[in-house]
Amino acid sequence: MATFMDIHHGMRDITGDQLREAHNADLAVESQENVHFQHAWADPVSGDVFCLSEAPSADAVQRVHERAGHRADEVHPIPFAV
């Protein structure tokens, strides 16, 4: 499984409860694409939301987000980390 970071733009003023709700929507359908979302972060001032996941592909990550109702604007592979 590969690791991915995806970004959603335009979610200005998102609350912790809204982020949790969106993350839970991803978790509810992630198994359909063999994806596992690990963490989500949000900056309510910029409106950016970041999600870290393990998945077979960037397309699988995007399909989960689309099913959950919030398509990602960017999906980036993370080839390695320290």
Side-chain angles (χ1 to χ4, degrees):
M1 286 281 227
T3 302
F4 295 90
M5 175 69 69
D6 64 75
I7 306 170
H8 306 259
H9 300 292
M11 299 182 85
R12 194 176 287 269
D13 299 323
I14 188 170
T15 66
D17 288 340
Q18 290 169 322
L19 178 62
R20 188 173 302 103
E21 182 180 316
H23 183 66
N24 286 339
D26 291 327
L27 297 179
V29 297
E30 68 181 11
S31 65
Q32 295 173 12
E33 294 288 342
N34 198 27
V35 173
H36 176 62
F37 284 94
Q38 299 172 333
H39 299 284
W41 300 266
D43 178 354
V45 175
S46 71
D48 292 335
V49 172
F50 306 88
C51 303
L52 181 68
S53 62
E54 290 184 333
S57 68
D59 289 337
V61 172
Q62 190 65 272
R63 286 191 297 268
V64 171
H65 279 316
E66 288 172 352
R67 286 187 185 112
H70 43 261
R71 187 178 198 288
D73 295 298
E74 305 173 38
V75 181
H76 301 277
I78 301 174
F80 58 87
V82 293

